[in-house]
Amino acid sequence: MIFYLKYFVIAYLLVVIQSNVFFKGVLKLFIVPDFALVYIFWLTMEDKENIAKYVGLFTGIFLDLLNPEKTFINTFSYFFSTLYIINIKNKFIGLNFTLKLLAIVLFSLIVSIPKTVYSFFLSNVSLNQSLNLIGFYVLYNAVIIYFIYYFTVFVLKRDEI
Amino acid sequence: MDNVKKRLIKLGIFFVYIVVIFIFLFSGKLKDISVDFIGVPSNFIYSTFHRLEEISSFFKDKKSLYQENEKLKKELEILKLENQKVFQLEKENEELRKVLQFKNQYTSAKIIVARVIAFSPDNWVNSFFIDVGSKDGVKEGDFVVAGGYLIGMVKSVGLNSSEVLSVNDENFKITVRTRKTGEICFYSGLGYKKGVLKYVRPEQDIRFSDIVETTILDRNCLEGIPVGIIKKISTKEGEFFKEVEVETFYYPYSLDYVIVVSR
């Protein structure tokens, strides 16, 4: 139980970090990187698909509960995009560095597009603004995953090949 | 036959899962509890950062502190002089109010000072968390003001923290009034520093750079709190209503202390 609980606690802490005033108050970032999404992606890549599914569902529910409006868009997008990424991952024997970057781009897009469409239908937010939001969101997540794999594979020399 | 049964059972379990998730997401109580889940650790992180800042400022070199002290002394003298002026103005103002029997609209309001401790983890939502909750008397629908301008409305209230929906969010909707012409409109958030007045009829007198303020028509509202300034008025071809864009005063990058106003 405790073994599984740690994954949920980490996801919860990542959401807390993501919501911290540091990003907007100190770094003045308009878009905050989605650490929870990167974590789910990392779990998927590290062959913890089952846990990734539940962590994806938990993160989605938690984000929806934190949403001021009653919605299920995060639960839907996080859970189903996790399933999709697991499906894609299983089609390959192993993903190299570039493929991992492509996969996180795809993952971020799958998560962000339903949210953008949802907010577009809610009120006609300009397309330009939405594109900027999606663009930077994907870029931030890709940069984080790049650094994670750069340090774990190249710096810490954990490459098994 | 067994296969069909198995599939039906699986479908049933999936359906039960979906129902449970929906109950989870649409129960207001759970939403309020989740606000505390993010509020308490965020408050702790914020306090720790604040302490670290205090410690770092303590270790500032003596020279800069001395210079700062000198500068502050000068400023203090100027402020003392200004304070005298303020006293005079206040007295004059009070007398004028008595003469005009002007009703002070905010005296009936309960004011709670709060600190912004976190922002929404979701990039698609414009909301933030404050360190006061139901324990301090905050209620859902209370207005949040910073620098004299309306910046949001309390949406979920936890025990020790609350979530505030900012005026820029697409879900923020209130009835407003233009200050100069007194036209009643419907305001909705639109994105970064932007809002929009909806359903403005062609005959309504909406003027450029007029201030949009809260009106008593909204049941939660205190009258006359500025929401934004009208920046663009246009008419789309084939559309009946005017398109009015409002610039709001909500700037998340410099938010620290805010005021929660409730009746």
Side-chain angles (χ1 to χ4, degrees), chain A residues 12 18-20 24 28-30 32 64-69 72 74 112 115-116 119 122-123 129 133 137, chain B residues 24-26 31 34 37-38 41 45-46 118-119 121-125 155 163 165 170-171 191-192 253:
Chain A
Y12 162 68
Q18 195 170 308
S19 68
N20 201 271
K24 287 206 169 162
K28 316 268 180 206
L29 288 181
F30 178 57
V32 180
D64 273 334
L65 284 173
L66 290 175
N67 198 311
E69 296 300 317
F72 59 92
N74 284 309
S112 60
K115 284 190 197 178
T116 311
S119 54
L122 213 66
S123 70
Q129 199 181 324
L133 188 58
Y137 179 75
Chain B
F24 241 80
L25 294 177
F26 290 91
K31 253 187 177 330
S34 67
F37 267 100
I38 205 104
I45 294 167
Y46 183 89
F119 289 93
D122 193 343
N123 287 308
W124 277 259
V125 178
K155 270 284 172 180
E163 188 173 16
L165 185 70
E170 297 101 54
N171 288 312
Y192 178 65
Y253 310 108

Side-chain angles (χ1 to χ4, degrees), chain A residues 12-13 15-26 28-34 54 57 60-75 79-80 111-113 115-116 118-120 122-126 129-130 133-134 137, chain B residues 14 17 21-22 24-28 30-32 34-38 41-42 45-46 49 53 116-127 129 155-156 163-165 169-173 188-192 194 198 250-255:
Chain A
Y12 162 68
L13 288 175
V15 174
V16 170
I17 290 168
Q18 195 170 308
S19 68
N20 201 271
V21 271
F22 177 73
F23 293 103
K24 287 206 169 162
V26 182
K28 316 268 180 206
L29 288 181
F30 178 57
I31 297 156
V32 180
D34 198 342
Y54 291 115
L57 187 68
I61 291 174
F62 189 46
L63 285 175
D64 273 334
L65 284 173
L66 290 175
N67 198 311
E69 296 300 317
K70 283 171 182 168
T71 169
F72 59 92
I73 191 74
N74 284 309
T75 313
F79 182 62
F80 286 102
V111 168
S112 60
I113 285 171
K115 284 190 197 178
T116 311
Y118 177 74
S119 54
F120 182 78
L122 213 66
S123 70
N124 299 323
V125 181
S126 73
Q129 199 181 324
S130 306
L133 188 58
I134 294 176
Y137 179 75
Chain B
F14 182 71
Y17 270 140
I21 286 168
F22 267 76
F24 241 80
L25 294 177
F26 290 91
S27 80
L30 271 170
K31 253 187 177 330
D32 292 346
S34 67
V35 170
D36 271 336
F37 267 100
I38 205 104
S42 297
I45 294 167
Y46 183 89
F49 267 111
E53 248 178 37
V116 176
I117 49 169
F119 289 93
S120 171
D122 193 343
N123 287 308
W124 277 259
V125 178
N126 261 315
S127 68
F129 296 86
K155 270 284 172 180
S156 313
E163 188 173 16
V164 180
L165 185 70
D169 195 275
E170 297 101 54
N171 288 312
F172 187 92
K173 288 168 182 115
S188 171
L190 194 66
Y192 178 65
K194 257 195 225 168
K198 284 188 170 176
Y250 171 65
Y251 187 65
Y253 310 108
S254 59
L255 270 186

Side-chain angles (χ1 to χ4, degrees), chain A residues 28-149:
Chain A
K28 316 268 180 206
L29 288 181
F30 178 57
I31 297 156
V32 180
D34 198 342
F35 296 118
L37 180 129
V38 171
Y39 179 58
I40 296 164
F41 180 78
W42 181 80
L43 284 177
T44 316
M45 291 301 136
E46 296 295 304
D47 296 324
K48 287 165 182 148
E49 285 103 339
N50 248 342
I51 295 162
K53 270 184 233 170
Y54 291 115
V55 171
L57 187 68
F58 165 77
T59 311
I61 291 174
F62 189 46
L63 285 175
D64 273 334
L65 284 173
L66 290 175
N67 198 311
E69 296 300 317
K70 283 171 182 168
T71 169
F72 59 92
I73 191 74
N74 284 309
T75 313
F76 170 80
S77 60
Y78 275 79
F79 182 62
F80 286 102
S81 52
T82 309
L83 291 183
Y84 189 66
I85 285 298
I86 290 168
N87 192 25
I88 284 181
K89 195 219 156 196
N90 288 339
K91 283 182 181 157
F92 293 88
I93 298 165
L95 295 181
N96 67 10
F97 201 63
T98 321
L99 275 175
K100 273 173 187 157
L101 273 180
L102 280 175
I104 187 85
V105 167
L106 188 70
F107 192 20
S108 308
L109 280 174
I110 300 168
V111 168
S112 60
I113 285 171
K115 284 190 197 178
T116 311
V117 172
Y118 177 74
S119 54
F120 182 78
F121 279 115
L122 213 66
S123 70
N124 299 323
V125 181
S126 73
L127 196 68
N128 230 0
Q129 199 181 324
S130 306
L131 284 176
N132 283 345
L133 188 58
I134 294 176
F136 278 102
Y137 179 75
V138 170
L139 185 76
Y140 279 167
N141 295 338
V143 166
I144 291 173
I145 215 76
Y146 176 85
F147 277 111
I148 287 171
Y149 280 104

Side-chain angles (χ1 to χ4, degrees), chain B residues 59-108:
Chain B
F59 287 109
K60 265 185 182 174
D61 59 318
K62 203 178 169 185
K63 199 181 171 185
S64 70
L65 277 173
Y66 180 74
Q67 281 171 346
E68 206 178 316
N69 193 25
E70 285 296 307
K71 200 180 148 193
L72 285 171
K73 271 180 184 171
K74 281 176 195 170
E75 275 177 6
L76 185 71
E77 287 306 312
I78 296 163
L79 284 172
K80 272 181 185 172
L81 190 72
E82 277 179 357
N83 208 13
Q84 290 300 321
K85 268 188 202 171
V86 171
F87 272 126
Q88 254 185 345
L89 287 170
E90 239 176 29
K91 223 177 170 182
E92 201 182 316
N93 193 21
E94 257 178 31
E95 277 170 10
L96 283 169
R97 270 172 197 269
K98 275 178 194 170
V99 174
L100 291 165
Q101 290 182 325
F102 192 79
K103 192 188 168 194
N104 191 351
Q105 52 193 344
Y106 299 126
T107 46
S108 61

Side-chain angles (χ1 to χ4, degrees), chain B residues 13-15 17 20 43 45 48 58 79 90 102 134 137 158-159 174 185 196 207 210 217 219 221 227 237 260-261:
Chain B
I13 291 168
F14 182 71
F15 183 71
Y17 270 140
V20 169
N43 206 354
I45 294 167
T48 314
F58 180 77
L79 284 172
E90 239 176 29
F102 192 79
S134 56
L159 196 66
I174 53 162
C185 306
V196 67
R207 295 178 190 179
D210 194 357
L217 283 178
R219 63 187 169 87
C221 243
V227 181
E237 209 179 310
V260 182
V261 188

